[in-house]
Amino acid sequence: DSTGTLYGRGTYLAESITKADEYAKAAEGEYAMLLVRALGGRVRYCDEVEPDAEDLTRSCIEGPFDCVLGDRKKCRGTYREFVFFDTENLYPEYIVIYKREY
């Protein structure tokens, strides 16, 4: 079941630090973020406003694709997201610790 996840239950990456920051949670006033090297392989492109998360997940786990590119920039004017269902394609390289300034 992929309830509550737009593109299915996977590891979500963003090409925008602003998008990633939306999900960061503070610990003693500091935030942490991973900078990850990702091997996209064969990418399933999706620009649907309401995608079929189960179909996307299945196409990567059982089908020919390695990840999903959710193009929210095209359909909503926000950010593109990459979703991986196999962590073997991800390599965290850096942990970035930061504070927000307003």
Side-chain angles (χ1 to χ4, degrees):
D1 179 20
S2 41
T3 305
T5 55
L6 190 60
Y7 300 106
R9 292 185 186 269
T11 302
Y12 283 64
L13 304 179
E15 60 188 1
S16 168
I17 194 76
T18 304
K19 178 63 178 177
D21 180 64
E22 290 178 6
Y23 294 93
K25 302 218 183 318
E28 298 180 21
E30 293 183 329
Y31 295 81
M33 190 173 304
L34 292 175
L35 183 61
V36 177
R37 183 181 303 257
L39 177 61
R42 190 163 180 194
V43 179
R44 168 96 187 256
Y45 178 80
C46 179
D47 62 358
E48 300 169 21
V49 174
E50 294 183 26
D52 182 340
E54 289 183 25
D55 179 56
L56 292 171
T57 302
R58 195 175 319 106
S59 72
C60 292
I61 293 174
E62 299 172 10
F65 297 100
D66 299 299
C67 69
V68 170
L69 164 54
D71 195 347
R72 304 307 283 175
K73 185 174 185 177
K74 179 179 178 186
C75 71
R76 288 285 195 207
T78 58
Y79 304 100
R80 297 186 335 155
E81 300 178 55
F82 296 83
V83 185
F84 291 82
F85 302 94
D86 184 351
T87 56
E88 288 183 5
N89 294 339
L90 303 175
Y91 180 76
E93 290 203 61
Y94 298 97
I95 298 174
V96 178
I97 306 293
Y98 65 98
K99 291 185 179 184
R100 292 180 182 161
E101 292 187 16
Y102 300 95

